[in-house]
Short mmCIF file of all heavy atoms in Angstrom, two decimals:
data_model
loop_
_atom_site.label_atom_id
_atom_site.label_comp_id
_atom_site.label_asym_id
_atom_site.label_seq_id
_atom_site.Cartn_x
_atom_site.Cartn_y
_atom_site.Cartn_z
N ALA A 710 26.03 7.49 7.42
CA ALA A 710 26.82 6.71 8.42
C ALA A 710 26.00 5.73 9.00
O ALA A 710 26.45 4.55 9.19
CB ALA A 710 27.48 7.70 9.30
N LEU A 711 24.77 5.95 9.43
CA LEU A 711 24.05 4.97 10.18
C LEU A 711 23.62 3.82 9.17
O LEU A 711 23.69 2.59 9.67
CB LEU A 711 22.69 5.65 10.76
CG LEU A 711 21.74 4.74 11.50
CD1 LEU A 711 21.19 5.55 12.67
CD2 LEU A 711 20.67 4.27 10.57
N VAL A 712 23.19 4.21 8.01
CA VAL A 712 22.81 3.20 6.97
C VAL A 712 23.92 2.16 6.74
O VAL A 712 23.83 1.01 6.67
CB VAL A 712 22.28 3.88 5.67
CG1 VAL A 712 22.14 2.79 4.58
CG2 VAL A 712 20.90 4.60 5.97
N ASN A 713 25.11 2.80 6.50
CA ASN A 713 26.36 2.03 6.26
C ASN A 713 26.65 1.23 7.42
O ASN A 713 27.31 0.04 7.27
CB ASN A 713 27.50 2.96 5.83
CG ASN A 713 27.20 3.55 4.59
OD1 ASN A 713 26.57 3.09 3.80
ND2 ASN A 713 27.92 4.78 4.26
N ARG A 714 26.41 1.63 8.65
CA ARG A 714 26.84 0.86 9.86
C ARG A 714 26.03 -0.43 9.97
O ARG A 714 26.50 -1.41 10.37
CB ARG A 714 26.59 1.73 11.10
CG ARG A 714 27.06 1.09 12.43
CD ARG A 714 26.74 1.98 13.57
NE ARG A 714 27.24 3.42 13.28
CZ ARG A 714 26.62 4.52 13.58
NH1 ARG A 714 25.27 4.38 14.00
NH2 ARG A 714 27.01 5.65 13.28
N TYR A 715 24.67 -0.29 9.62
CA TYR A 715 23.80 -1.49 9.84
C TYR A 715 23.38 -2.35 8.66
O TYR A 715 23.02 -3.47 8.80
CB TYR A 715 22.44 -0.90 10.53
CG TYR A 715 22.63 -0.34 11.90
CD1 TYR A 715 22.23 0.96 12.14
CD2 TYR A 715 23.21 -0.97 12.88
CE1 TYR A 715 22.33 1.58 13.37
CE2 TYR A 715 23.49 -0.46 14.16
CZ TYR A 715 23.08 0.81 14.39
OH TYR A 715 23.22 1.39 15.60
N SER A 716 23.67 -1.80 7.47
CA SER A 716 23.30 -2.57 6.19
C SER A 716 24.03 -3.94 6.15
O SER A 716 23.43 -4.79 5.61
CB SER A 716 23.53 -1.74 4.97
OG SER A 716 24.94 -1.36 4.99
N PRO A 717 25.32 -3.97 6.66
CA PRO A 717 25.93 -5.40 6.51
C PRO A 717 25.21 -6.40 7.33
O PRO A 717 25.35 -7.66 7.17
CB PRO A 717 27.27 -5.15 7.24
CG PRO A 717 27.60 -3.63 6.99
CD PRO A 717 26.29 -3.08 7.19
N TYR A 718 24.28 -6.14 8.23
CA TYR A 718 23.48 -6.99 9.12
C TYR A 718 22.17 -7.36 8.62
O TYR A 718 21.45 -8.01 9.25
CB TYR A 718 23.64 -6.55 10.58
CG TYR A 718 24.95 -6.26 11.09
CD1 TYR A 718 25.41 -4.96 11.14
CD2 TYR A 718 25.83 -7.27 11.44
CE1 TYR A 718 26.72 -4.75 11.44
CE2 TYR A 718 27.12 -7.05 11.89
CZ TYR A 718 27.50 -5.73 11.95
OH TYR A 718 28.80 -5.47 12.44
N MET A 719 21.81 -6.67 7.55
CA MET A 719 20.28 -6.76 7.16
C MET A 719 20.34 -7.57 5.73
O MET A 719 21.00 -7.23 4.77
CB MET A 719 19.78 -5.32 6.96
CG MET A 719 19.75 -4.47 8.26
SD MET A 719 19.31 -2.74 8.15
CE MET A 719 17.63 -2.89 7.53
N VAL A 720 19.38 -8.36 5.57
CA VAL A 720 19.03 -9.09 4.35
C VAL A 720 18.56 -8.10 3.36
O VAL A 720 17.69 -7.24 3.67
CB VAL A 720 18.07 -10.16 4.50
CG1 VAL A 720 17.66 -10.89 3.16
CG2 VAL A 720 18.61 -11.21 5.45
N ALA A 721 19.17 -7.93 2.19
CA ALA A 721 18.82 -6.89 1.19
C ALA A 721 17.49 -7.28 0.41
O ALA A 721 17.54 -7.56 -0.76
CB ALA A 721 19.90 -6.79 0.30
N THR A 722 16.33 -7.08 1.06
CA THR A 722 15.09 -7.38 0.37
C THR A 722 14.43 -6.16 -0.26
O THR A 722 13.59 -6.33 -0.93
CB THR A 722 14.16 -8.05 1.53
OG1 THR A 722 14.01 -7.17 2.54
CG2 THR A 722 14.46 -9.40 1.90
N TYR A 723 14.98 -4.96 0.10
CA TYR A 723 14.37 -3.75 -0.42
C TYR A 723 15.64 -2.80 -0.94
O TYR A 723 16.79 -2.80 -0.28
CB TYR A 723 13.61 -3.00 0.68
CG TYR A 723 12.23 -3.56 0.81
CD1 TYR A 723 12.02 -4.55 1.67
CD2 TYR A 723 11.10 -2.96 0.10
CE1 TYR A 723 10.72 -5.01 1.88
CE2 TYR A 723 9.83 -3.49 0.34
CZ TYR A 723 9.63 -4.50 1.13
OH TYR A 723 8.28 -5.00 1.42
N VAL A 724 15.22 -2.01 -1.92
CA VAL A 724 16.08 -0.90 -2.26
C VAL A 724 15.46 0.37 -1.72
O VAL A 724 14.40 0.79 -2.14
CB VAL A 724 16.24 -0.84 -3.89
CG1 VAL A 724 17.07 0.31 -4.27
CG2 VAL A 724 16.81 -2.07 -4.43
N ARG A 725 16.18 0.99 -0.91
CA ARG A 725 15.58 2.16 -0.22
C ARG A 725 16.20 3.46 -0.58
O ARG A 725 17.44 3.44 -0.88
CB ARG A 725 15.76 1.99 1.36
CG ARG A 725 15.01 0.79 1.90
CD ARG A 725 15.20 0.64 3.32
NE ARG A 725 14.40 -0.45 3.95
CZ ARG A 725 14.87 -1.58 4.17
NH1 ARG A 725 16.15 -1.98 3.77
NH2 ARG A 725 14.05 -2.61 4.72
#
Side-chain angles (χ1 to χ4, degrees):
L711 182 141
V712 171
N713 293 335
R714 185 182 311 135
Y715 295 124
S716 59
Y718 305 99
M719 299 170 64
V720 178
T722 53
Y723 281 85
V724 178
R725 298 178 175 94

